[in-house]
Amino acid sequence: MNSRILSIGSTPDSPDPVVDRILIEKIGKATEGGERIPKIHHSNSSADQVSSPVRREVASRSSFLMKSPDKDDETDLETGKLLEKDREKATRSHRAFVVHNNALLSGLAYCMSSCSMILVNKFVLSGYDFNAGISLMLYQNFVSVVVVSVLSFFGIISTEPLTWRLIKVWLPVNVIFVGMLITSMFSLRYINVAMVTVLKNVTNVITAVGEMYLFSKHHDNRVWAALFLMIISAISGGITDLSFHAIGYTWQIINCFLTASYSLTLRRVMDTAKKVTKSGDLNEFSMVLLNNILSVPLGILLIFIFNEVEYLTNTPLLRLPIFWLVITLSGFLGLAISFTSLWFLHQTGATTYSLVGSLNKIPLSVAGILLFHVPTSLENSASILFGLLAGVFFARAKMQERSQS
């Protein structure tokens, strides 16, 4: 998946394990909701018949007509019915217009925030030549904690109180989460945006194999065909990459394994974590806060292990106000992905969300090549496009597989 609900420092084009889990739940709810919608609509229409002033007027005229029939009254009755029908049509048209606008607006907000996040991260790491990816991740997570805490304090969003029992359950998956963010930062420093997007498809392959062995889940032929196409595109893209960097590719492969491990581990931990909360549930904003709070002490420890403290004390970048503005913006963009992805998912549905997320990688890859002047060839461009289309095919196959199961 493409949107990150829990990660703030990672690239948004990576498959989001949490969103993937939410999509499964949303599909089940959508199926149940689809069975109830006609009944709700029917009850609303019945309520309109009682509450609408025009309908009451029509009813009174009808009773009067039974006592004293008159052509003028019949004309008024027909006029009232026509006016009511016109009003209902206008109301339905207005509601459809509002829903369509909300879906379009939320979709644009999600696409813009997810694309902007990875481009800003790439600009900080490569454009500014900032060689402290762990520190960047830590600052972005700190921004996220502050914003979510403020919103929760003022009652705009609800978050679950953090307890030691909840922290103990969540800590193992948080360690993988931090490793996923850090390796994503390291790989993005050396690899261009388009190839990072294509190489992240390998995560889907690892996750599918892990599901098969750990959860005895069987995938249909369309899913395996899409995964095979992803592998071919990743290999051909790496071979034809004119800006190939062995260190960057190594970090990206590690990132794929960590991301897949995070996805597979999260499925077990989420169910256990809900049992130790006070409300018996764990919403998405609580997970955002939990993941990023726990990542702060671990991030500080890693800064000393990787000796980024010496680099931070010597780099002139930290004395530039514009640099602080850019990295703060990256933190807000990471959090914006969380909010806009939930908004878009609520306004549309799981299928539309997944397809838009997959299609969103295409303009992101093109923008990454053009903005950072990445040297490319016809063969490499074809491999990238092939991988992006394979991602779209994979999203459609997964949604069809879930709907059938």
Side-chain angles (χ1 to χ4, degrees), residues 202-218:
V202 177
T203 302
N204 297 323
V205 181
I206 301 172
T207 304
V209 175
E211 288 176 337
M212 186 175 63
Y213 284 100
L214 297 177
F215 303 105
S216 300
K217 182 177 180 180
H218 299 285

Side-chain angles (χ1 to χ4, degrees), residues 14 18 41 192 217 219 318 395 398 400:
S14 61
V18 180
H41 179 74
N192 67 75
K217 182 177 180 180
H219 302 284
L318 298 184
K398 286 289 287 184
Q400 292 173 358

Side-chain angles (χ1 to χ4, degrees), residues 77-373:
L77 181 63
E78 292 175 359
T79 303
K81 289 182 178 179
L82 291 173
L83 287 173
E84 180 62 21
K85 288 181 179 179
D86 291 341
R87 182 177 296 180
E88 288 180 352
K89 289 180 180 179
T91 303
R92 286 195 299 267
S93 176
H94 175 71
R95 289 176 180 172
F97 180 75
V98 171
V99 171
H100 177 72
N101 274 2
N102 286 337
L104 180 62
L105 184 61
S106 61
L108 289 175
Y110 164 66
C111 291
M112 290 180 63
S113 60
S114 61
C115 286
S116 299
M117 175 65 182
I118 188 171
L119 294 175
V120 170
N121 273 353
K122 179 66 175 176
F123 178 68
V124 171
L125 296 169
S126 298
Y128 277 105
D129 196 24
F130 186 64
N131 194 21
I134 302 175
S135 301
L136 178 60
M137 177 214 71
L138 179 64
Y139 184 73
Q140 291 174 343
N141 290 351
F142 173 75
V143 171
S144 176
V145 170
V146 171
V147 174
V148 172
S149 300
V150 170
L151 293 178
S152 178
F153 178 78
F154 286 102
I156 299 175
I157 61 175
S158 61
T159 56
E160 191 71 24
L162 301 183
T163 61
W164 281 113
R165 291 182 63 192
L166 181 59
I167 291 174
K168 289 178 182 178
V169 171
W170 200 265
L171 189 58
V173 75
N174 183 258
V175 174
I176 304 175
F177 169 77
V178 172
M180 181 180 69
L181 299 189
I182 293 174
T183 53
S184 177
M185 289 288 187
F186 289 168
S187 65
L188 191 61
R189 174 176 170 80
Y190 298 104
I191 310 177
N192 67 75
V193 173
M195 280 308 304
V196 166
T197 304
V198 173
L199 290 173
K200 279 187 176 292
N201 287 335
V202 177
T203 302
N204 297 323
V205 181
I206 301 172
T207 304
V209 175
E211 288 176 337
M212 186 175 63
Y213 284 100
L214 297 177
F215 303 105
S216 300
K217 182 177 180 180
H218 299 285
H219 302 284
D220 59 28
N221 293 331
R222 288 171 297 186
V223 173
W224 288 115
L227 294 174
F228 177 74
L229 295 177
M230 288 178 177
I231 296 175
I232 297 299
S233 65
I235 295 175
S236 60
I239 294 175
T240 58
D241 187 6
L242 298 180
S243 57
F244 178 86
H245 200 291
I247 296 177
Y249 273 72
T250 302
W251 282 120
Q252 185 54 55
I253 295 299
I254 297 174
N255 175 261
C256 290
F257 278 96
L258 288 174
T259 305
S261 301
Y262 179 70
S263 174
L264 297 170
T265 307
L266 191 66
R267 299 190 180 190
R268 297 181 183 273
V269 174
M270 282 182 69
D271 294 332
T272 307
K274 289 179 180 180
K275 297 178 182 178
V276 299
T277 58
K278 293 183 178 180
S279 64
D281 193 14
L282 192 66
N283 62 30
E284 292 78 19
F285 298 116
S286 298
M287 289 187 283
V288 170
L289 184 61
L290 180 62
N291 245 345
N292 289 281
I293 282 182
L294 294 181
S295 68
V296 171
L298 185 56
I300 294 175
L301 177 63
L302 291 173
I303 286 176
F304 285 96
I305 294 176
F306 282 82
N307 197 26
E308 287 190 359
V309 176
E310 183 179 356
Y311 172 81
L312 293 174
T313 55
N314 295 326
T315 180
L317 292 174
L318 298 184
R319 293 188 287 271
L320 298 176
I322 187 65
F323 179 76
W324 282 101
L325 180 63
V326 172
I327 62 175
T328 303
L329 174 63
S330 68
F332 277 100
L333 285 174
L335 189 59
I337 295 173
S338 303
F339 285 95
T340 56
S341 59
L342 291 174
W343 181 26
F344 184 43
L345 184 61
H346 176 71
Q347 291 295 329
T348 54
T351 304
T352 304
Y353 179 86
S354 296
L355 290 179
V356 170
S358 299
L359 291 171
N360 191 38
K361 296 178 181 179
I362 298 176
L364 172 63
S365 300
V366 174
I369 292 174
L370 296 178
L371 291 177
F372 297 100
H373 308 289

